[in-house]
């Protein structure tokens, strides 16, 4: 009986339906650290531990919310970072200035045309060109300012519909197009002039004040007689009559002409002849105060129309111009009036053995360094005046002929592509073309583009074209240089493409080194919030006929020079080549005669 009673006591009481079944007991593991699940089970419903767990849970979320609120406050009240403004398309553009009649003939008549230009757009894109600037463009008497129609392309280079095709094809290649637009003059054959000359007839009465007419003229350089009256024209050019921008009817017609080309897709205008927008009472001098007022009105119209036009859709239309002999104050006033850029004409005057580059200097190094130092200083002190460089143009002798040396022309090409701002490249300069012989049938600087070593350099299939090729076409041509690893064309293409992706070359600070025995450096770097960042690019150029050691002690972050990389080098360079890693830790670089190198290092 005692045994049975003991068994009954040891039997567990029956389990209720709401109770959790007891966890099976396992023997204690001697290697176990901490409490087991069974040992923790007794604390599950303990009131003390339940209270502690609840307090800790609430504290966790309170602290998390507090930290989140502090982070929000820090974001709201911290000083904002300075955002780098993205430059407009024209501010970093490499604008390729094409003289269309000499660029590419498509129909075998020996004269270049728009179809030929369209056929060569792929080559231009490959060489890094971002903007195409065709000249001549509008129909005119002199291929310049004596315009016959502001809405018609010159039929000598193609029918008017080809202008729209050219614009569309350029945009398809993700490039921009700018055109020269004579803003103040027309031909005597222009409809407006013909109507103005017969304004006594009732239908033409509105055109009477489109031009400046006087009954008596004192200066024959600016006035020429026409039907018993005298009209104002460009100095010494009676074929180019000056428009009267003080007449509101004329302004409306000119604004409509600009609007027409904006709708047709043109991205920018070179405003030609701005000095004739307003004249003194006798017509012999520009009235610059009135001219600046007209430029403001043009700027306002172009911006307003671009924003309102459903075709332009608010795109930025660039306006630029050239003013020969412009002083620093003149450039500032033009920029303030609404010009996006004013072309720096000074380096276009560089020529060996002239009053600019004296014969005793031996090379153009001294005059280039002096001019460049002054112009760069001006732009650094006047940031509102955007730099715009021109070394060659349809009116200037080719660089290689002016400086008397193709290696020096190559050095100037490197220099131009390193400079800040907008760059104009005249066709053929990217391969080092020279002037034609003086007895040629066209101006020496307008020879046929040298594409390859075939007949006429690939320019035309004509037997005896009116636009001749240079005698060096077999060795100096686009196809050959594109195949070479270190040609003038390859240097141009590499630097042109770098300018589109490297902040230092797009908007960075520019530092020109001191002239050392015919050699100097140009440095581009980012100076963001008073701190040098990113890659630093240095062009070291030696114009001397002997080796020169250039010091690099003035370069920013020069302690990093021991890890430099060659970007490109001139075609006569043997010691350096692209992508070569070099150590300039001694803070100097030795250059052979007429040699140039572009290298970079990290700040």
């Amino acid at each position: 009986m005692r045994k049975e009673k003991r068994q009954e006591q040891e039997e567990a009481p029956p389990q209720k339906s709401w109770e959790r079944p007891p966890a099976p007991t396992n023997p204690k593991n001697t290697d176990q650290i901490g409490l087991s699940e069974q040992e923790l089970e007794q604390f599950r419903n303990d009131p003390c531990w339940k209270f502690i767990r609840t307090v800790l849970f609430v504290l966790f979320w309170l602290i998390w919310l507090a930290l989140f609120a502090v982070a929000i406050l820090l974001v709201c009240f911290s000083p904002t970072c300075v955002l780098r403004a993205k430059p407009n398309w024209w501010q970093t553009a490499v604008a390729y200035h094409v003289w269309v009649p000499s660029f590419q003939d498509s129909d075998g008549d020996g004269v270049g045309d728009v179809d030929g230009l369209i056929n060569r757009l792929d080559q231009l894109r490959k060489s890094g060109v971002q903007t195409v600037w065709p000249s001549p463009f509008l129909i005119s008497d002199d291929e310049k300012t004596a315009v016959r129609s502001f809405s018609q392309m010159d039929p000598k280079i193609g029918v008017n519909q080809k202008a729209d095709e050219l614009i569309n094809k350029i945009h398809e290649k993700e490039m921009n197009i700018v055109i020269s637009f004579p803003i103040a003059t027309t031909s005597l054959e222009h409809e407006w002039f013909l109507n103005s000359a017969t304004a006594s007839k009732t239908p033409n009465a509105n055109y009477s004040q489109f031009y400046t007419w006087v009954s008596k003229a004192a200066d024959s350089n600016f006035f020429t007689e026409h039907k018993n009256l005298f009209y104002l024209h460009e100095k010494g050019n009676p074929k180019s009559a000056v428009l009267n921008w003080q007449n509101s009817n004329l302004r409306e017609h000119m604004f409509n002409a600009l609007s027409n080309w904006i709708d047709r897709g043109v991205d920018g205008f070179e405003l030609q002849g701005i000095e004739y927008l307003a004249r003194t009472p006798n017509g012999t001098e520009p009235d610059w105060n009135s001219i600046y007022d007209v430029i403001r009105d043009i700027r306002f119209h172009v911006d307003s129309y671009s924003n309102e036009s459903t075709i332009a859709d608010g795109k930025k239309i660039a306006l630029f111009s050239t003013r020969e002999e412009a002083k620093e104050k003149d450039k500032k006033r033009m920029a303030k009036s609404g010009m996006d850029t004013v072309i720096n004409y000074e380096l276009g005057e560089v020529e060996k053995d002239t009053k600019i580059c004296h014969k005793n200097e031996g090379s153009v190094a001294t005059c280039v360094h002096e001019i460049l130092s002054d112009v760069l200083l001006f732009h650094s002190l006047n940031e509102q005046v955007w730099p715009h460089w021109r070394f060659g143009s349809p009116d200037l002798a080719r660089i290689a002929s002016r400086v008397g040396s193709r290696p020096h022309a190559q050095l100037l090409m490197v220099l131009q592509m390193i400079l800040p701002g907008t760059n104009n490249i005249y066709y053929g300069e990217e391969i080092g073309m020279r002037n034609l012989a003086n007895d040629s049938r066209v101006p020496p600087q307008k020879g046929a583009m040298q594409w390859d070593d075939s007949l006429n350099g690939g320019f035309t299939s004509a037997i005896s074209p009116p636009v001749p090729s240079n005698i060096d076409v077999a060795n100096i041509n686009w196809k050959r240089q594109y195949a070479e690893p270190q040609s003038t064309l390859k240097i141009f293409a590499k630097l042109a493409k770098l300018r589109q992706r490297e902040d230092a070359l797009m908007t960075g600070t520019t530092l020109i080194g001191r002239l050392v025995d015919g050699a100097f450096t140009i440095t581009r770097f980012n100076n963001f919030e008073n701190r040098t960042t990113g890659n630093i690019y240095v062009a070291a150029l030696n114009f001397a006929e002997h080796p020169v050691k250039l010091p690099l002690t003035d370069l920013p972050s020069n302690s990093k020079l021991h890890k430099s990389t060659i970007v490109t080098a001139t075609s006569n360079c043997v010691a350096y080549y692209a992508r070569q890693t070099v150590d300039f830790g001694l803070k100097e670089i030795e250059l052979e005669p007429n040699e140039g190198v572009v290298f970079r290092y990290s700040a």
Side-chain angles (χ1 to χ4, degrees):
M1 292 176 63
R2 284 197 298 272
K3 183 177 179 181
E4 292 173 356
K5 187 176 181 179
R6 203 164 41 246
Q7 288 175 347
E8 291 174 359
Q9 291 174 349
E10 290 176 358
E11 288 178 359
Q15 182 178 348
K16 305 296 189 295
S17 60
W18 62 84
E19 290 182 343
R20 186 174 181 177
T25 58
N26 296 319
K28 179 78 172 179
N29 186 352
T30 57
D31 297 328
Q32 179 179 315
I33 299 175
L35 300 178
S36 66
E37 183 180 354
Q38 293 78 14
E39 292 169 329
L40 287 171
E41 187 66 27
Q42 59 181 311
F43 301 104
R44 175 189 295 275
N45 296 317
D46 186 283
C48 177
W49 288 106
K50 286 181 69 175
F51 175 75
I52 292 173
R53 288 198 302 271
T54 303
V55 170
L56 291 176
F57 180 79
V58 172
L59 282 176
F60 167 79
W61 283 108
L62 287 176
I63 293 172
W64 188 91
L65 289 172
L67 290 173
F68 183 75
V70 169
I72 295 295
L73 291 173
L74 287 174
V75 171
C76 292
F77 292 102
S78 295
T80 57
C81 296
V82 178
L83 297 177
R84 300 190 191 193
K86 184 180 179 181
N88 286 303
W89 66 267
W90 49 267
Q91 291 182 303
T92 60
V94 175
Y96 192 78
H97 198 170
V98 181
W99 187 255
V100 179
S102 301
F103 194 64
Q104 180 65 61
D105 173 26
S106 68
D107 55 12
D109 66 353
V111 178
D113 46 50
V114 165
D115 277 331
L117 173 55
I118 291 173
N119 294 337
R120 293 295 186 179
L121 289 178
D122 280 333
Q123 281 96 325
L124 297 186
R125 186 64 180 163
K126 287 179 182 178
S127 59
V129 170
Q130 296 104 34
T131 300
V132 179
W133 177 4
S135 293
F137 193 76
L138 299 179
I139 180 173
S140 66
D141 293 337
D142 57 0
E143 297 181 335
K144 289 185 179 179
T145 58
V147 177
R148 290 192 172 205
S149 172
F150 286 106
S151 60
Q152 300 290 316
M153 189 178 73
D154 194 329
K156 291 194 293 291
I157 60 174
V159 296
N160 197 40
Q161 291 80 0
K162 286 294 179 181
D164 300 298
E165 183 181 349
L166 173 64
I167 293 169
N168 292 332
K169 292 292 185 182
I170 287 173
H171 288 160
E172 286 176 9
K173 303 292 183 184
E174 298 182 343
M175 297 188 288
N176 296 299
I177 178 172
V178 299
I179 64 172
S180 298
F181 195 90
I183 198 66
T185 54
T186 71
S187 163
L188 304 189
E189 301 300 321
H190 195 288
E191 179 188 8
W192 300 347
F193 186 87
L194 296 176
N195 290 342
S196 184
T198 56
S200 58
K201 298 179 181 179
T202 303
N204 300 334
N206 289 335
Y207 293 91
S208 62
Q209 300 300 315
F210 269 41
Y211 299 84
T212 299
W213 297 92
V214 296
S215 58
K216 185 178 180 180
D219 194 329
S220 60
N221 286 322
F222 292 93
F223 288 91
T224 295
E225 186 177 3
H226 183 83
K227 295 184 178 180
N228 300 322
L229 291 175
F230 293 84
Y231 66 92
L232 177 65
H233 56 73
E234 286 183 342
K235 183 178 181 180
N237 185 14
K239 293 182 178 180
S240 191
V242 174
L243 292 165
N244 177 21
W245 268 85
Q246 305 308 310
N247 180 265
S248 58
N249 197 9
L250 179 278
R251 286 194 181 208
E252 182 180 353
H253 279 68
M254 289 300 293
F255 288 160
N256 289 339
L258 289 166
S259 301
N260 169 57
W261 285 110
I262 292 173
D263 280 342
R264 291 173 75 172
V266 166
D267 301 294
F269 299 94
E270 181 212 14
L271 300 184
Q272 291 181 305
I274 59 169
E275 63 271 23
Y276 289 97
L277 284 171
R279 307 294 287 182
T280 55
N282 62 5
T284 59
E285 296 292 337
D287 180 358
W288 284 108
N289 289 329
S290 298
I291 289 172
Y292 297 139
D293 290 338
V294 175
I295 293 174
R296 288 188 190 95
D297 292 342
I298 295 172
R299 174 86 270 171
F300 179 78
H301 169 77
V302 167
D303 290 345
S304 300
Y305 187 82
S306 177
N307 290 328
E308 295 167 1
S309 169
T310 56
I311 300 175
D313 196 25
K315 74 176 180 180
K316 171 65 178 177
I317 304 296
L319 297 180
F320 62 98
S321 186
T322 304
R323 181 178 171 185
E324 302 296 340
E325 307 300 328
K327 307 300 182 185
E328 292 181 353
K329 64 177 182 178
D330 301 326
K331 293 180 180 180
K332 288 193 288 185
R333 291 199 65 183
M334 289 178 68
K336 189 176 180 180
S337 299
M339 285 291 183
D340 290 309
T341 66
V342 180
I343 296 176
N344 291 320
Y345 63 88
E346 293 87 349
L347 287 168
E349 297 179 345
V350 170
E351 185 173 354
K352 189 179 179 183
D353 299 339
T354 62
K355 63 179 182 179
I356 301 295
C357 302
H358 197 268
K359 185 176 181 179
N360 295 336
E361 295 174 2
S363 75
V364 297
T366 303
C367 61
V368 167
H369 186 271
E370 183 178 345
I371 292 172
L372 202 55
S373 298
D374 290 342
V375 178
L376 286 173
L377 178 61
F378 164 72
H379 284 294
S380 68
L381 297 176
N382 300 276
E383 294 183 357
Q384 76 277 15
V385 185
W386 191 256
H388 192 156
W389 308 97
R390 180 195 70 184
F391 283 43
S393 80
D395 300 317
L396 297 172
R398 291 197 172 275
I399 297 175
S401 296
R402 294 206 316 262
V403 300
S405 164
R406 195 165 265 132
H408 283 187
Q410 197 175 81
L411 290 174
L412 290 175
M413 169 64 71
V414 174
L415 172 64
Q416 183 175 3
M417 299 307 292
I418 287 291
L419 290 175
T422 310
N423 262 308
N424 288 353
I425 300 293
Y426 186 48
Y427 85 98
E429 303 289 14
E430 78 276 22
I431 60 173
M433 282 177 57
R434 291 180 183 269
N435 280 354
L436 296 172
N438 290 330
D439 59 352
S440 60
R441 287 158 284 178
V442 297
Q445 69 272 22
K446 295 178 181 177
M449 177 63 181
Q450 298 168 197
W451 292 106
D452 53 45
D453 58 2
S454 64
L455 177 68
N456 301 316
F459 163 69
T460 181
S461 59
I463 301 301
S464 182
V467 181
S469 300
N470 215 322
I471 58 175
D472 60 3
V473 65
N475 296 319
I476 306 299
N477 60 74
W478 196 96
K479 183 178 179 180
R480 178 171 181 171
Q481 292 198 16
Y482 194 75
E484 295 174 351
Q486 215 161 304
S487 62
T488 304
L489 177 61
K490 281 296 182 69
I491 295 170
F492 168 78
K494 179 170 287 188
L495 295 178
K497 293 172 183 177
L498 270 178
R499 288 171 59 90
Q500 296 305 299
R501 62 176 185 264
E502 283 288 344
D503 287 340
L505 295 178
M506 287 194 293
T507 57
T509 302
T510 306
L511 179 68
I512 183 168
R514 57 191 175 89
L515 185 66
V516 179
D517 203 10
F520 59 92
T521 59
I522 293 283
T523 307
R524 302 294 309 282
F525 60 96
N526 268 320
N527 191 15
F528 188 62
E529 294 183 339
N530 296 321
R531 193 164 51 91
T532 302
T533 61
N535 288 326
I536 299 169
Y537 284 83
V538 182
L541 311 170
N542 179 20
F543 290 86
E545 297 296 330
H546 51 79
V548 174
K549 284 188 177 181
L550 267 176
L552 306 177
T553 52
D554 295 332
L555 301 187
S557 304
N558 55 31
S559 60
K560 308 287 187 177
L561 281 167
H562 63 284
K563 292 183 179 179
S564 299
T565 303
I566 302 298
V567 175
T568 188
T570 51
S571 53
N572 59 353
C573 188
V574 177
Y576 303 107
Y577 54 87
R579 294 184 292 278
Q580 176 188 9
T581 301
V582 291
D583 182 0
F584 292 131
L586 296 178
K587 299 178 183 177
E588 68 176 15
I589 180 173
E590 184 170 359
L591 297 173
E592 295 300 316
N594 306 315
E595 190 175 84
V597 174
V598 178
F599 65 90
R600 69 167 176 259
Y601 61 99
S602 175

